[in-house]
Amino acid sequence: MSEHPEDAPIAKLSLVSKFAAIDDHWNPRIVGELNGQHVKIAKIHGAFDWHHHEHEDELFLVHRGSFRMEFRDRAIDLEAGDILIVPRGVEHRPVADHEAEILMFEPAGTLNTGNVTSARTVREPERL
Ligand code: NI
């Protein structure tokens, strides 16, 4: 994808094709950008790290499968087609009992592990 979207041709993308190119988990890829936001996709499986984002709200959309977003006081189950927005500052962790495909929409530069640094932190997501 171009670093300068205004120069890029207008073209649709296929989430099915993009996900087919991913064979790992918890490794977000950038598939689009607009207005300073990144559209990212990832396959997930298992429990992620507890974290929060000081300044960014995060949108999650389930493309295939299901997962639950755990908060310290409750959990929300999400299925394909569901969207959840996690407000900034709220501690959360996604947990997928089976592999799921998710799309995230958040400001460019948002770290996947938020305020926490771990082996899963991806500082420079690749573009797919
Ligand atoms: Ni997060």
Side-chain angles (χ1 to χ4, degrees), residues 62-82:
V62 184
H63 177 249
R64 186 182 63 83
S66 62
F67 77 101
R68 68 181 176 277
M69 188 64 78
E70 294 188 352
F71 301 98
R72 287 302 188 182
D73 60 348
R74 65 178 178 143
I76 296 177
D77 292 317
L78 300 166
E79 300 177 354
D82 287 343

Side-chain angles (χ1 to χ4, degrees), residues 1-120:
M1 177 176 300
S2 168
E3 289 290 331
H4 304 284
E6 66 272 19
D7 298 331
I10 298 173
K12 71 176 184 179
L13 69 84
S14 161
L15 285 178
V16 170
S17 298
K18 295 292 186 186
F19 278 113
I22 295 176
D23 61 2
D24 54 11
H25 296 127
W26 304 116
N27 186 0
R29 266 68 166 209
I30 298 167
V31 296
E33 58 183 291
L34 65 163
N35 305 316
Q37 307 267 323
H38 278 163
V39 180
K40 299 175 186 170
I41 62 171
K43 288 183 177 177
I44 65 174
H45 191 195
F48 199 56
D49 306 318
W50 282 106
H51 67 278
H52 71 271
H53 306 273
E54 202 64 45
H55 302 292
E56 300 95 0
D57 305 327
E58 284 194 296
L59 180 148
F60 294 83
L61 179 152
V62 184
H63 177 249
R64 186 182 63 83
S66 62
F67 77 101
R68 68 181 176 277
M69 188 64 78
E70 294 188 352
F71 301 98
R72 287 302 188 182
D73 60 348
R74 65 178 178 143
I76 296 177
D77 292 317
L78 300 166
E79 300 177 354
D82 287 343
I83 282 177
L84 178 69
I85 297 172
V86 177
R88 64 196 68 184
V90 176
E91 210 176 8
H92 59 279
R93 73 164 184 174
V95 181
D97 294 330
H98 306 282
E99 184 184 79
E101 298 175 350
I102 65 169
L103 179 150
M104 292 147 288
F105 186 60
E106 57 199 15
T110 302
L111 265 187
N112 62 329
T113 54
N115 63 312
V116 172
T117 298
S118 79
R120 286 164 161 166

